[in-house]
Amino acid sequence: MINQLKLPHFFEIYKSTNHIETANAIKNMIIRGAPAIGAAGAYGVAQACFEAKKENFLVHVKNAVKLIKSTRPTAYDLFYAVERVFKKVEKAKDLEEAKKLSLEEAERIANESVEACKRIGEFGNRLIKSGSKILTHCNAGWLATVDWGTATAPAYFAKRKGKQIFVFVDETRPRCQGSKLTAWELLNEKIPHAIIADNAAGYYMRKGEVDIVITGADRVARNGDVANKIGTYEKAVLAKENGIPFYVAAPLSTFDIKIKSGDQIPIEERAEEEVFYAEGLAESFIEKVRIAPIGSKAKNPAFDITPAKYIKGIITEKGIIKPNEKNILKLFQRK
Ligand code: MRU
């Protein structure tokens, strides 16, 4: 996996050799983004099969599944992918078959994810005119998926079609996925963009400089409520206030149709340290510096819920839908 903790300053590949290292890579955000951690989790279950001894291999894999699922609570792709691979393992007649089936299923999940994101890009491109100024939050690009991305895939397609576009990149404190990852992707894609402080979005929206907002999702509930990176909700409210269409891009693997609404989505609380410190390049190494005074407390929810009423449409691999229970369940009937 690309070690996302080192970007944008260093490009390093992190090689995970067993399911415990994979679980740690997800927990510590070496890899992050809903579809990316889904694929990593799927391969983690396959790794557990390859590590297991013949006797009681199912117990070993069950424990691995438990560990991988415990790494991050919000993104649904992780649970979807890990369960899919585990179902294959349960059906296997012996360890050799479990190894084969689990690896095949992990590969299938990764390949399906690439295909889904590509379609999201194609559908989303239809919303983008030449000259459009797009605002995005967090990183929902190819780093956060297996390839193409979700929220940024439409921009990548638009660029390939020759459209002139510009992207406002929310910095996305405290982990700065916007300034560290999305901006780096856009540079690689040669797409004009500017990083803005998270609290600058409303200023540009009010000035009429934002034509469309597209974000990713970590989990979509049956009623169309969306969990995504903290700060997404306020962007959606601001977009509505300013008459700007707000879209979410998400593959079906991010939809949790078992839950009725966003209120049931578990929200990850992360360490206070992420708020106290900023991290970046000092000379030639990555250094952390303290911003907040010693003695203050911090709160650090990693995600928030955007109610469906603020979302103009969800861009999926099956087309763009208005978020409501009827449309969402229909997506799964046709699967
Ligand atoms: O905490 P992170 O960096 O894993 O959060 C990621 C996001 O919120 C993304 O926007 C989301 O997973 C969509 S990724 C295609």
PDB file of all heavy atoms in Angstrom, residues 101-116:
ATOM      1  N   LEU A 101     -10.027 -19.443  -1.949  1.00  0.00           N
ATOM      2  CA  LEU A 101     -11.275 -18.672  -2.048  1.00  0.00           C
ATOM      3  C   LEU A 101     -11.133 -17.270  -1.464  1.00  0.00           C
ATOM      4  O   LEU A 101     -11.682 -16.304  -1.997  1.00  0.00           O
ATOM      5  CB  LEU A 101     -12.416 -19.408  -1.329  1.00  0.00           C
ATOM      6  CG  LEU A 101     -12.854 -20.748  -1.925  1.00  0.00           C
ATOM      7  CD1 LEU A 101     -14.024 -21.305  -1.132  1.00  0.00           C
ATOM      8  CD2 LEU A 101     -13.251 -20.600  -3.402  1.00  0.00           C
ATOM      9  N   SER A 102     -10.390 -17.154  -0.361  1.00  0.00           N
ATOM     10  CA  SER A 102     -10.273 -15.838   0.281  1.00  0.00           C
ATOM     11  C   SER A 102      -9.470 -14.872  -0.589  1.00  0.00           C
ATOM     12  O   SER A 102      -9.828 -13.708  -0.746  1.00  0.00           O
ATOM     13  CB  SER A 102      -9.655 -15.957   1.672  1.00  0.00           C
ATOM     14  OG  SER A 102      -8.355 -16.500   1.598  1.00  0.00           O
ATOM     15  N   LEU A 103      -8.404 -15.406  -1.180  1.00  0.00           N
ATOM     16  CA  LEU A 103      -7.590 -14.531  -2.036  1.00  0.00           C
ATOM     17  C   LEU A 103      -8.374 -14.107  -3.287  1.00  0.00           C
ATOM     18  O   LEU A 103      -8.364 -12.940  -3.673  1.00  0.00           O
ATOM     19  CB  LEU A 103      -6.280 -15.236  -2.425  1.00  0.00           C
ATOM     20  CG  LEU A 103      -5.285 -14.376  -3.187  1.00  0.00           C
ATOM     21  CD1 LEU A 103      -4.919 -13.109  -2.424  1.00  0.00           C
ATOM     22  CD2 LEU A 103      -4.005 -15.171  -3.489  1.00  0.00           C
ATOM     23  N   GLU A 104      -9.094 -15.087  -3.853  1.00  0.00           N
ATOM     24  CA  GLU A 104      -9.912 -14.753  -5.039  1.00  0.00           C
ATOM     25  C   GLU A 104     -10.956 -13.692  -4.706  1.00  0.00           C
ATOM     26  O   GLU A 104     -11.183 -12.767  -5.476  1.00  0.00           O
ATOM     27  CB  GLU A 104     -10.649 -16.014  -5.533  1.00  0.00           C
ATOM     28  CG  GLU A 104      -9.788 -16.915  -6.378  1.00  0.00           C
ATOM     29  CD  GLU A 104     -10.495 -18.232  -6.706  1.00  0.00           C
ATOM     30  OE1 GLU A 104     -11.697 -18.420  -6.339  1.00  0.00           O
ATOM     31  OE2 GLU A 104      -9.831 -19.081  -7.306  1.00  0.00           O
ATOM     32  N   GLU A 105     -11.578 -13.844  -3.527  1.00  0.00           N
ATOM     33  CA  GLU A 105     -12.641 -12.888  -3.155  1.00  0.00           C
ATOM     34  C   GLU A 105     -12.057 -11.495  -2.901  1.00  0.00           C
ATOM     35  O   GLU A 105     -12.649 -10.487  -3.291  1.00  0.00           O
ATOM     36  CB  GLU A 105     -13.409 -13.412  -1.932  1.00  0.00           C
ATOM     37  CG  GLU A 105     -14.689 -12.657  -1.627  1.00  0.00           C
ATOM     38  CD  GLU A 105     -15.803 -12.829  -2.668  1.00  0.00           C
ATOM     39  OE1 GLU A 105     -15.581 -13.463  -3.725  1.00  0.00           O
ATOM     40  OE2 GLU A 105     -16.892 -12.289  -2.437  1.00  0.00           O
ATOM     41  N   ALA A 106     -10.889 -11.443  -2.253  1.00  0.00           N
ATOM     42  CA  ALA A 106     -10.252 -10.140  -2.003  1.00  0.00           C
ATOM     43  C   ALA A 106      -9.919  -9.460  -3.335  1.00  0.00           C
ATOM     44  O   ALA A 106     -10.169  -8.265  -3.520  1.00  0.00           O
ATOM     45  CB  ALA A 106      -9.002 -10.318  -1.154  1.00  0.00           C
ATOM     46  N   GLU A 107      -9.392 -10.257  -4.276  1.00  0.00           N
ATOM     47  CA  GLU A 107      -9.078  -9.713  -5.621  1.00  0.00           C
ATOM     48  C   GLU A 107     -10.342  -9.194  -6.298  1.00  0.00           C
ATOM     49  O   GLU A 107     -10.343  -8.124  -6.915  1.00  0.00           O
ATOM     50  CB  GLU A 107      -8.488 -10.808  -6.534  1.00  0.00           C
ATOM     51  CG  GLU A 107      -7.172 -11.357  -6.116  1.00  0.00           C
ATOM     52  CD  GLU A 107      -5.983 -10.515  -6.562  1.00  0.00           C
ATOM     53  OE1 GLU A 107      -6.155  -9.572  -7.358  1.00  0.00           O
ATOM     54  OE2 GLU A 107      -4.893 -10.799  -6.087  1.00  0.00           O
ATOM     55  N   ARG A 108     -11.424  -9.977  -6.162  1.00  0.00           N
ATOM     56  CA  ARG A 108     -12.691  -9.586  -6.792  1.00  0.00           C
ATOM     57  C   ARG A 108     -13.186  -8.264  -6.206  1.00  0.00           C
ATOM     58  O   ARG A 108     -13.621  -7.370  -6.939  1.00  0.00           O
ATOM     59  CB  ARG A 108     -13.725 -10.704  -6.558  1.00  0.00           C
ATOM     60  CG  ARG A 108     -14.871 -10.685  -7.551  1.00  0.00           C
ATOM     61  CD  ARG A 108     -15.743 -11.926  -7.419  1.00  0.00           C
ATOM     62  NE  ARG A 108     -15.062 -13.151  -7.762  1.00  0.00           N
ATOM     63  CZ  ARG A 108     -14.952 -14.234  -6.972  1.00  0.00           C
ATOM     64  NH1 ARG A 108     -15.491 -14.237  -5.774  1.00  0.00           N
ATOM     65  NH2 ARG A 108     -14.305 -15.298  -7.373  1.00  0.00           N
ATOM     66  N   ILE A 109     -13.103  -8.144  -4.890  1.00  0.00           N
ATOM     67  CA  ILE A 109     -13.558  -6.898  -4.229  1.00  0.00           C
ATOM     68  C   ILE A 109     -12.732  -5.709  -4.735  1.00  0.00           C
ATOM     69  O   ILE A 109     -13.272  -4.656  -5.076  1.00  0.00           O
ATOM     70  CB  ILE A 109     -13.463  -7.045  -2.689  1.00  0.00           C
ATOM     71  CG1 ILE A 109     -14.565  -7.994  -2.210  1.00  0.00           C
ATOM     72  CG2 ILE A 109     -13.553  -5.693  -1.983  1.00  0.00           C
ATOM     73  CD1 ILE A 109     -14.438  -8.446  -0.761  1.00  0.00           C
ATOM     74  N   ALA A 110     -11.425  -5.888  -4.815  1.00  0.00           N
ATOM     75  CA  ALA A 110     -10.556  -4.795  -5.274  1.00  0.00           C
ATOM     76  C   ALA A 110     -10.898  -4.418  -6.720  1.00  0.00           C
ATOM     77  O   ALA A 110     -11.030  -3.229  -7.053  1.00  0.00           O
ATOM     78  CB  ALA A 110      -9.095  -5.198  -5.141  1.00  0.00           C
ATOM     79  N   ASN A 111     -11.068  -5.436  -7.571  1.00  0.00           N
ATOM     80  CA  ASN A 111     -11.371  -5.145  -8.983  1.00  0.00           C
ATOM     81  C   ASN A 111     -12.743  -4.500  -9.150  1.00  0.00           C
ATOM     82  O   ASN A 111     -12.911  -3.571  -9.940  1.00  0.00           O
ATOM     83  CB  ASN A 111     -11.287  -6.429  -9.820  1.00  0.00           C
ATOM     84  CG  ASN A 111      -9.847  -6.898  -9.924  1.00  0.00           C
ATOM     85  OD1 ASN A 111      -8.911  -6.099  -9.842  1.00  0.00           O
ATOM     86  ND2 ASN A 111      -9.650  -8.197 -10.073  1.00  0.00           N
ATOM     87  N   GLU A 112     -13.717  -5.007  -8.397  1.00  0.00           N
ATOM     88  CA  GLU A 112     -15.073  -4.414  -8.469  1.00  0.00           C
ATOM     89  C   GLU A 112     -15.024  -2.951  -8.032  1.00  0.00           C
ATOM     90  O   GLU A 112     -15.731  -2.102  -8.582  1.00  0.00           O
ATOM     91  CB  GLU A 112     -16.023  -5.162  -7.519  1.00  0.00           C
ATOM     92  CG  GLU A 112     -16.531  -6.472  -8.058  1.00  0.00           C
ATOM     93  CD  GLU A 112     -17.359  -7.245  -7.019  1.00  0.00           C
ATOM     94  OE1 GLU A 112     -17.788  -6.657  -5.998  1.00  0.00           O
ATOM     95  OE2 GLU A 112     -17.565  -8.431  -7.228  1.00  0.00           O
ATOM     96  N   SER A 113     -14.185  -2.671  -7.032  1.00  0.00           N
ATOM     97  CA  SER A 113     -14.089  -1.311  -6.520  1.00  0.00           C
ATOM     98  C   SER A 113     -13.527  -0.356  -7.589  1.00  0.00           C
ATOM     99  O   SER A 113     -14.019   0.763  -7.749  1.00  0.00           O
ATOM    100  CB  SER A 113     -13.214  -1.313  -5.260  1.00  0.00           C
ATOM    101  OG  SER A 113     -13.115  -0.026  -4.758  1.00  0.00           O
ATOM    102  N   VAL A 114     -12.530  -0.835  -8.324  1.00  0.00           N
ATOM    103  CA  VAL A 114     -11.968  -0.002  -9.403  1.00  0.00           C
ATOM    104  C   VAL A 114     -13.062   0.298 -10.433  1.00  0.00           C
ATOM    105  O   VAL A 114     -13.250   1.452 -10.850  1.00  0.00           O
ATOM    106  CB  VAL A 114     -10.780  -0.719 -10.095  1.00  0.00           C
ATOM    107  CG1 VAL A 114     -10.271   0.101 -11.283  1.00  0.00           C
ATOM    108  CG2 VAL A 114      -9.657  -0.986  -9.096  1.00  0.00           C
ATOM    109  N   GLU A 115     -13.793  -0.737 -10.800  1.00  0.00           N
ATOM    110  CA  GLU A 115     -14.841  -0.594 -11.817  1.00  0.00           C
ATOM    111  C   GLU A 115     -15.929   0.369 -11.321  1.00  0.00           C
ATOM    112  O   GLU A 115     -16.391   1.240 -12.060  1.00  0.00           O
ATOM    113  CB  GLU A 115     -15.423  -1.993 -12.081  1.00  0.00           C
ATOM    114  CG  GLU A 115     -15.983  -2.240 -13.449  1.00  0.00           C
ATOM    115  CD  GLU A 115     -15.236  -1.552 -14.600  1.00  0.00           C
ATOM    116  OE1 GLU A 115     -13.998  -1.694 -14.752  1.00  0.00           O
ATOM    117  OE2 GLU A 115     -15.925  -0.822 -15.342  1.00  0.00           O
ATOM    118  N   ALA A 116     -16.338   0.217 -10.053  1.00  0.00           N
ATOM    119  CA  ALA A 116     -17.397   1.078  -9.486  1.00  0.00           C
ATOM    120  C   ALA A 116     -16.944   2.543  -9.499  1.00  0.00           C
ATOM    121  O   ALA A 116     -17.701   3.438  -9.893  1.00  0.00           O
ATOM    122  CB  ALA A 116     -17.725   0.633  -8.067  1.00  0.00           C
TER     123      ALA A 116
END
